[in-house]
Amino acid sequence: GVIVEGTSALNTAALTGESLPRDVQTGDEVISGCVNMTGLLKVRTTKEFGESTVSKILDLVENSSMKKARAENFITRFARVYTPAVCYGALALAFVPPVVLLLMGQPARFGDWIYRALTFLVISCPCALVISIPLSFFGGIGGASKHGILVKGSNYLEALARAGIVVFDKTGTLTRGTFEVTVIHPQQLSEQELLELAALAEHFSTHPISLSIQAACRPAPDPARVTDVKEIAGRGVQAVVDGRTVLAGNQKLMDQFQISFEDRCRHMGTIIHVAVDGEYAGHIVISDQPKPEAAQALSDLKAAGVRRTVMLTGDAQSAAEGVARELGLDEFHAELLPGDKVDQVERLLAQKQPKENLVFVGDGINDAPVLSRADIGVAMGALGSDAAIEAADIVLMDDDLSKLAQAVRIARKTLSIVRQNIVFALAVKGLVLVLSALGYVGMWWAVFADVGVSVLAILNASRMLRAK
């Protein structure tokens, strides 16, 4: 809709991922899913529910999930050929050789050939494959869950083993999603004095920026020192602290009161300027900090074989650039809406190498369509939205990014054990089948080729339950 009356700050993090609230006033457009934080707004609705942003996100989730291919289970593909082949082979072994011998005028012992055919059937029973392959995946899923990694199905674990491109959301995924004071640049005051004046001026505000300044000022100053507080919409606050007039806000506030200063700050983030009695006193930089484990997690992913790391965010270009540079990402795209993120993922999917999968990691409502469209969607379980967790294929229950590289390693180890079991079972069965058909081995070898191989394959699969 369109605002017809009032000014306020809107929290758009759920839709765009932008951690900084957006200031709006009369005449501005607003979209569904934003949270009104500071003022009263009257909005004229311009679209019906079916055309709303939230409705479009749901539509994107449904359509995106329909596009995702599901790999057919190996056992189903294998059994389609293997089962008829061994049944017809056993039938042929029971009757073709004795009939041929009869036609050649030699004695044909039907009992011996039927016994060989039954031995052949016992050997060919695919128990080792039918039991050990699902058990390997269940073991991988169980081993991952012990480390707080919830995998919703064995096909997702198999797909994760081929991860080549990993795409991240920024706010709440690579960063903490909360504001913190990162830099204090005073002029003619100490850092503590500048921070204390700003915290007192902002004391009665519930804006996230104000709360972060108050949280950084320790010990907390006495609010009784503050009088005549006035909030100036979209610009900042004016207050009297210890008898001195203090201004704290953005550059528009400084321009309004004709306070001149030299803008030399090169730090990424939101800058809060402070003036005392008409004189510029310095500025404070507030930014959303990367998670402590983010850089190491990206490095671990590269070491695990991930070819490319990308960040997609609805946050501002400058904030995204700073995070991408600090964490060493290969590529980033900023100021994206949910539909734009899906478009970027479609582009990246088209750039995949053969047998390579794209993984998307996110936590917000705005990430749900992309989580659904990616080959593998990974959601943050502790702080992530219900929509993101529902759309994701894998959930990191404690929001620890380092678990992602661990999940890739577990997936690859699981697939390695599955391949070992397949090769071992087929090799042993193939060898004993040939020897059985030629009459060199009997039923005891058949039992080993069936039950013995199954037991060994199961023991090998159970290693995944102890994944480290």
Side-chain angles (χ1 to χ4, degrees), residues 12-17 31-34 47-66 336-342 360 363-373 385-391:
T12 63
L15 289 168
T16 65
I31 53 179
S32 55
C34 298
K47 292 183 180 178
E48 296 183 356
F49 171 74
E51 299 176 346
S52 68
T53 305
V54 170
S55 179
K56 287 179 180 177
I57 287 176
L58 291 173
D59 183 59
L60 283 167
V61 171
E62 291 165 2
N63 291 334
S64 296
S65 61
M66 290 171 64
L336 303 175
L337 289 173
D340 300 327
K341 286 188 176 183
V342 175
F360 182 85
D363 71 318
I365 296 172
N366 60 315
D367 297 324
V370 202
L371 286 165
S372 182
R373 180 62 191 100
S385 70
D386 291 344
I389 293 170
E390 179 68 26

Side-chain angles (χ1 to χ4, degrees), residues 384-460:
S385 70
D386 291 344
I389 293 170
E390 179 68 26
D393 307 312
I394 297 172
V395 181
L396 305 181
M397 298 307 295
D398 56 1
D399 289 3
D400 185 355
L401 265 182
S402 61
K403 297 289 178 68
L404 185 58
Q406 194 173 8
V408 172
R409 288 195 295 269
I410 288 173
R412 289 182 176 170
K413 185 178 179 183
T414 301
L415 219 59
S416 173
I417 287 177
V418 168
R419 292 193 187 104
Q420 291 168 17
N421 284 343
I422 291 172
V423 171
F424 174 68
L426 292 180
V428 173
K429 283 180 179 292
L431 177 63
V432 180
L433 276 173
V434 173
L435 295 175
S436 169
L438 296 174
Y440 290 114
V441 297
M443 187 59 75
W444 285 112
W445 274 97
V447 171
F448 168 74
D450 178 26
V451 180
V453 169
S454 297
V455 170
L456 291 174
I458 289 168
L459 289 173
N460 190 35

Side-chain angles (χ1 to χ4, degrees), residues 196-205 226 229 237-239 241 246-248:
E196 187 174 285
L197 286 173
L200 285 167
E202 301 273 9
H203 181 78
F204 298 100
S205 174
V226 187
V229 180
V237 293
Q238 178 183 9
V241 179
V246 177
L247 298 171

Side-chain angles (χ1 to χ4, degrees), residues 141-272:
I141 292 171
S145 68
K146 288 182 179 179
H147 298 283
I149 304 164
L150 175 63
V151 184
K152 294 186 179 180
S154 56
N155 53 333
Y156 302 127
L157 199 66
E158 182 180 4
L160 184 63
R162 296 192 296 272
I165 302 175
V166 180
V167 184
F168 296 90
D169 172 49
K170 183 181 82 71
T171 307
T173 303
L174 290 174
T175 65
R176 295 174 180 174
T178 56
F179 286 111
E180 290 183 8
V181 172
T182 53
V183 180
I184 303 173
H185 285 159
Q187 288 187 12
Q188 301 175 355
L189 292 174
S190 68
E191 289 188 2
Q192 181 60 31
E193 287 174 328
L194 181 66
L195 185 60
E196 187 174 285
L197 286 173
L200 285 167
E202 301 273 9
H203 181 78
F204 298 100
S205 174
T206 57
H207 194 284
I209 290 177
S210 304
L211 295 176
S212 65
I213 293 174
Q214 294 169 44
C217 187
R218 289 290 179 268
D222 182 7
R225 295 163 57 189
V226 187
T227 57
D228 297 334
V229 180
K230 184 188 298 182
E231 185 159 346
I232 302 169
R235 303 194 175 188
V237 293
Q238 178 183 9
V240 176
V241 179
D242 297 333
R244 296 185 294 175
T245 302
V246 177
L247 298 171
N250 55 26
Q251 186 168 345
K252 292 179 181 177
L253 183 68
M254 298 295 108
D255 294 341
Q256 179 179 336
F257 286 88
Q258 299 179 343
I259 296 171
S260 59
F261 63 95
E262 291 186 31
D263 187 5
R264 296 178 178 177
C265 185
R266 295 296 176 263
H267 293 274
M268 295 293 178
T270 302
I271 300 176
I272 303 300

Side-chain angles (χ1 to χ4, degrees), residues 79-146:
R80 194 175 296 159
V81 177
Y82 180 78
T83 304
V86 295
C87 288
Y88 287 123
L91 197 62
L93 184 62
F95 296 105
V96 171
V99 168
V100 171
L101 289 172
L102 279 175
L103 293 174
M104 294 174 63
Q106 297 182 16
R109 297 175 181 176
F110 277 90
D112 289 347
W113 289 103
I114 290 172
Y115 181 81
R116 288 187 189 184
L118 293 174
T119 305
F120 184 92
L121 279 177
V122 171
I123 298 166
S124 63
C125 179
C127 289
L129 296 175
V130 172
I131 296 172
S132 69
I133 293 175
L135 189 62
S136 299
F137 283 113
F138 296 156
I141 292 171
S145 68
K146 288 182 179 179

